[in-house]
Amino acid sequence: MWEIDKAVLITNNDRVYEKYKEMMKVIYMEAYEEVLIKVRDMVYDRHVLLTHPQASSLKPNQTPYRSVIVYPKGEEDNTDDILLIEKCLETYYQWQEIAPTPQKYEDHTAYDFKTIDLSVIDNVIPRIL
């Protein structure tokens, strides 16, 4: 359906980066917010979202890791994706005001959050690419 060599995976999860960096273009960011901003910039630059920026049942302040796949769509309208990523950023900022994401988790907890994020990507890649 989609060509994997054209898809771009944006992540701040080193486990996702290491697993997929040889398979597709992967952009590694330092923070969750940076992932959303980079995705937003790419969507404004005529990419479409192949995965939802708020996938999984975790709220934006409950996990420090996020991975999103985008795909170039040329001149086709992607207004829905623009609205979606803007809404995701708005939601992220709202949750940060309510209860900010902890700056540091214990290693085993961080690993668990990375595993959740990785499993979302692992499950979606065969379906979209």
Side-chain angles (χ1 to χ4, degrees):
M1 177 190 245
W2 309 97
E3 297 175 46
I4 196 162
D5 59 323
K6 291 183 181 178
V8 181
L9 173 58
I10 301 102
T11 187
N12 69 327
N13 183 340
D14 60 323
R15 293 186 64 205
V16 170
Y17 176 79
E18 288 300 323
K19 182 167 185 176
Y20 290 102
K21 69 181 181 182
E22 302 298 326
M23 180 187 302
M24 61 194 303
K25 181 176 181 179
V26 181
I27 299 172
Y28 186 80
M29 309 303 292
E30 290 296 319
Y32 188 120
E33 179 183 15
E34 291 175 358
V35 170
L36 294 180
I37 290 169
K38 181 66 174 176
V39 169
R40 181 204 56 202
D41 293 348
M42 293 186 79
V43 168
Y44 273 103
D45 192 31
R46 293 290 183 190
H47 286 71
V48 293
L49 297 167
L50 294 188
T51 60
H52 196 289
Q54 292 177 324
S56 84
S57 60
L58 295 172
K59 292 176 180 62
N61 67 333
Q62 293 176 317
T63 179
Y65 302 102
R66 179 61 59 211
S67 300
V68 181
I69 302 173
V70 298
Y71 196 84
K73 285 301 279 184
E75 297 303 315
E76 291 181 38
D77 181 38
N78 66 344
T79 302
D80 290 341
D81 289 340
I82 289 171
L83 295 172
L84 178 59
I85 189 60
E86 290 291 354
K87 181 64 177 169
C88 290
L89 270 162
E90 179 182 320
T91 301
Y92 170 81
Y93 292 130
Q94 286 172 342
W95 277 106
Q96 291 305 307
E97 288 179 17
I98 294 168
T101 305
Q103 293 298 311
K104 178 79 172 137
Y105 285 96
E106 292 185 32
D107 289 345
H108 69 279
T109 303
Y111 186 85
D112 289 346
F113 283 129
K114 290 177 183 183
T115 300
I116 293 167
D117 182 56
L118 176 60
S119 70
V120 170
I121 296 301
D122 283 345
N123 284 303
V124 77
I125 282 188
R127 294 182 180 135
I128 62 174
L129 302 175

